[in-house]
Amino acid sequence: MTGRLHARPWAQRPSVTAWVRLRRLLVAVALIAGVIAVPIPAHAAGPAASVTFTDAPSYVALDGRVTLSGTVRNTGTVPLFTVQVLTWRDPSPITSRTALTAALARDPNAATGTRIVDEGAFVNIGSPGAPWQPGETASFTVSATVTQLGLTTAGVYLVGVHVRASTDGSASYQTYGRGRTLLPVTRTGAPVGPVAPVATVVWLSSKPSLLRPSVTSGATVLAQATFRDDHLAGELTGRLGALLEAAAAESAAYAIDPALYREVAEMAAGYEVRQGPTTTTGAGRAAAQAWLARFATLPPERGYRLPYGNPDLALGAATNDAGMLDRATAALVDVPAVAGLPLLVRSPDGAADGRFLGYVARLKPAVVLAHTRSGPVGLSSVAGTVVATESVTANAGPGPDDPTTALQVRQRQLADSYVAALDGAGSVRVMSDAADVAATTGPLPPWQSRTPLASIVPTGQWSEGVGTGTPAGRLSTATVTVVTTLATSLARYGDLTAAPVDAARVAARALAPVVSQDWADDAEAAAYALDATSPYAGAFDAVRLRVAKKVTMTSHTNPVSYTHLRAHETDSYLVC
């Protein structure tokens, strides 16, 4: 069959192209995510006070003393009178991971525990009779022995302070502020209790920024890599620099996102940053070269890799998204420097269940990190070895005061490891930011001993009973819709241009990072998706073919079918 194939006239094209439809979808995702973000008022209506701890013991023995220091602030809208900060504690010992999870799930403002009114266990704020005005702050230090606190058994306890005051200068005192933290209390003398192994994993990942990789011909760079921002320039000498130093510590394991390694390598070769219509030279080339040189000195036997782009595997498991796994695998071929490292996976919140393990089993990981309620540190599962970790949560402290401070992160880590030791199990500590590094710096507590991650072997079997619930992340199915739409468009374009392999490679590199755990929400992921695929926007609508009205048949030996096909996603017409 012969015929004349030509482009469909522009005047006949629909007014809304596939790229415009996609852009509207991405904007909708961003707007929805933006609506969800609700600002927190600076002051609570009526009387209120906040507590921030600045110092507390890491742990104490049963014959020890507990001294708490910090600041209090009048966060309400009315003055407070006769303000006192009093030591508080809950005398119920926490001796298992299950009990710790339950204790942290309770209302932090509930009227539990008791206050201590012994000398030194409370302090007055301000001058007698003088109003403590909204916005005013004050420092405090309170102290009491473990005996005064009534703590009689080794375990983890909730301790803290209450802020009591009146609003009219009378003796009608009420509690207007609370602060709590976790405190391990050990046995007196030696040994302090069971000793359990603890392994450290340094987590190396960051928000994706690469839009277009460099183009080279041999040793010649034809076009530099393009990034959407320059945040890595600061991180390489800040957070990621501190984490790399921690990874060099004896027995520490490290796990790197291949996408991060690729971005740093592109930066080290020289790169540009495109923001809107403006393109500038990236400022992090020297920092990237230095970081890569330091990374090269890390022992490879202690190294692991994450799936490319550090994807939200909890979202993938919930939606059974095979494409997420396929793209992460396909993109890895572009990063041979770390492709040979064993694979380590973890959900965004550290939880795991049977569905999640079944999903990630397709990747054949060497290690799955997961928070557990009970059992040994190493467990066999369908996905391989599950290794118990300490809690993965941004809200480390028990509240209601700020749960994200370095002190609260440290105390949560110590509490997690102590109850694990009391359970007869070890744990793995994941370090991903400066607070984690600070909390881990220094000598180990007496109930821990360092061990390499690779030395942990399964001594039990995974079951749903040891998990802490369904894993979850910050992204939703809206991001899956965005990625699926883009992947379909790129695949259709690859088919129409007879370049499916090239289109699949572009899809893997550009789309795998869209579902990264490092994004704060769907809006950030959608914005990156829009930027990362914008160079291919015209391609989504570029191919339009149709047969002329006159067709000359050169043979009649075989039947010929005539089909009209419309590819809706690409707005392309093909007649064959």
Side-chain angles (χ1 to χ4, degrees), residues 213-550:
S214 58
V215 179
T216 60
S217 177
T220 303
V221 178
L222 303 178
Q224 290 187 330
T226 303
F227 287 69
R228 70 193 298 258
D229 59 43
D230 213 7
H231 77 275
L232 276 178
E235 282 204 287
L236 291 174
T237 56
R239 180 182 69 90
L240 289 172
L243 288 172
L244 202 59
E245 183 176 350
E250 183 180 358
S251 79
Y254 60 92
I256 186 168
D257 177 3
L260 171 63
Y261 187 93
R262 181 178 192 173
E263 293 197 358
V264 179
E266 292 280 16
M267 293 172 65
Y271 65 105
E272 59 186 21
V273 178
R274 189 189 73 200
Q275 293 182 312
T278 304
T279 299
T280 58
T281 300
R285 183 175 186 179
Q289 292 172 340
W291 196 89
L292 285 178
R294 293 170 60 196
F295 181 83
T297 66
L298 297 178
E301 64 272 14
R302 292 199 266 121
Y304 295 82
R305 63 175 172 86
L306 306 176
Y308 189 98
N310 189 26
D312 184 341
L313 296 172
L315 177 61
T319 57
N320 195 26
D321 186 358
M324 183 184 296
L325 303 181
D326 292 341
R327 285 184 289 272
T329 301
L332 184 63
V333 301
D334 291 329
V335 199
V338 297
L341 294 175
L343 179 65
L344 180 148
V345 301
R346 181 185 68 166
S347 71
D349 63 354
D353 58 11
R355 181 176 65 181
F356 177 82
L357 293 174
Y359 177 73
V360 301
R362 307 177 208 178
L363 294 173
K364 299 181 179 179
V367 175
V368 180
L369 298 183
H371 188 46
T372 57
R373 298 181 189 273
S374 59
V377 64
L379 298 165
S380 296
S381 78
V382 66
T385 301
V386 176
V387 176
T389 67
E390 295 173 357
S391 298
V392 181
T393 173
N395 298 325
D401 51 306
D402 183 0
T404 66
T405 65
L407 184 146
Q408 295 287 14
V409 170
R410 181 194 73 192
Q411 294 307 116
R412 177 63 178 274
Q413 290 181 344
L414 289 168
D416 277 342
S417 67
Y418 190 43
V419 295
L422 293 175
D423 267 348
S427 62
V428 173
R429 178 169 298 166
V430 178
M431 294 193 294
S432 61
D433 56 29
D436 293 334
V437 173
T440 310
T441 301
L444 288 176
W447 60 84
Q448 288 185 345
S449 63
R450 296 192 190 278
T451 189
L453 177 63
S455 70
I456 298 175
V457 296
T459 57
Q461 184 67 39
W462 169 271
S463 68
E464 291 293 342
V466 305
T468 57
T470 303
R474 293 185 288 251
L475 302 182
S476 75
T477 54
T479 296
V480 174
T481 300
V482 168
V483 173
T484 301
T485 302
L486 287 167
T488 301
S489 295
L490 284 168
R492 293 277 174 95
Y493 174 72
D495 290 340
L496 291 172
T497 57
V501 175
D502 291 341
R505 187 173 181 179
V506 168
R509 177 188 58 76
L511 300 183
V514 175
V515 291
S516 173
Q517 295 184 24
D518 293 292
W519 298 123
D521 51 35
D522 289 320
E524 279 195 351
Y528 173 82
L530 191 66
D531 290 343
T533 57
S534 61
Y536 316 105
F540 293 158
D541 294 300
V543 180
R544 290 168 299 279
L545 303 175
R546 73 173 185 174
V547 168
K549 294 181 179 180
K550 181 179 179 180

